[in-house]
């Protein structure tokens, strides 16, 4: 598989959790995380970084092998987080392994 067809590994998730800020909710909507679950994530975590991480983890768990880098990038663009796309691409291209989470 090409790097953009691979399942999202932990590395870009760590980058995103540290850089998404409040935009994690916009990304969650674009990744089709249900609204009640977004509210649950928000209620369970007290740091925005933890909320972003939990949301990405949930998406990876739900989508399994379909949680690909290209789908994540498409969602970032729809969520108006284009500035983070290059960071995700760089981290995904530099790692040629998959971490199941």
């Amino acid at each position: 598989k090409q790097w953009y067809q691979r399942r999202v590994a932990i590395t870009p998730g760590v980058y995103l959790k540290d850089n998404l800020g409040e935009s994690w909710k916009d990304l969650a909507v674009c990744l089709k995380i249900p609204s009640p679950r977004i509210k649950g994530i928000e209620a369970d975590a007290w740091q925005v970084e933890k909320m972003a991480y939990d949301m990405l983890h949930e998406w990876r768990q739900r989508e399994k092998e379909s949680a690909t880098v290209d789908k994540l990038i498409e969602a970032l663009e729809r969520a108006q987080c284009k500035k983070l796309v290059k960071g995700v691409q760089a981290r995904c291209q530099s790692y040629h392994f998959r971490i199941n989470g």
Side-chain angles (χ1 to χ4, degrees), residues 15-35:
Y15 167 75
L16 284 175
K17 84 164 179 68
D18 290 338
N19 291 282
L20 265 172
E22 290 295 327
S23 296
W24 77 268
K25 288 187 260 186
D26 298 325
L27 181 58
V29 169
C30 292
L31 290 172
K32 298 182 171 74
I33 303 287
S35 180

Side-chain angles (χ1 to χ4, degrees), residues 32-95:
K32 298 182 171 74
I33 303 287
S35 180
R37 188 59 202 122
I38 293 171
K39 288 181 174 136
I41 290 170
E42 207 166 16
D44 292 343
W46 58 276
Q47 283 185 310
V48 72
E49 293 86 359
K50 174 85 168 108
M51 294 173 201
Y53 182 85
D54 290 350
M55 177 272 299
L56 288 166
H57 179 74
E58 178 148 329
W59 175 69
R60 288 179 73 239
Q61 293 293 95
R62 186 189 71 211
E63 295 296 315
K64 301 195 182 336
E65 293 299 316
S66 296
T68 59
V69 175
D70 58 344
K71 287 183 182 174
L72 178 60
I73 288 172
E74 288 171 16
L76 282 166
E77 290 172 344
R78 284 195 314 275
Q80 304 301 312
C81 296
K82 292 180 180 157
K83 67 182 190 294
L84 300 176
V85 169
K86 285 186 181 175
V88 169
Q89 289 171 330
R91 280 152 185 83
C92 292
Q93 287 176 339
S94 61
Y95 293 92

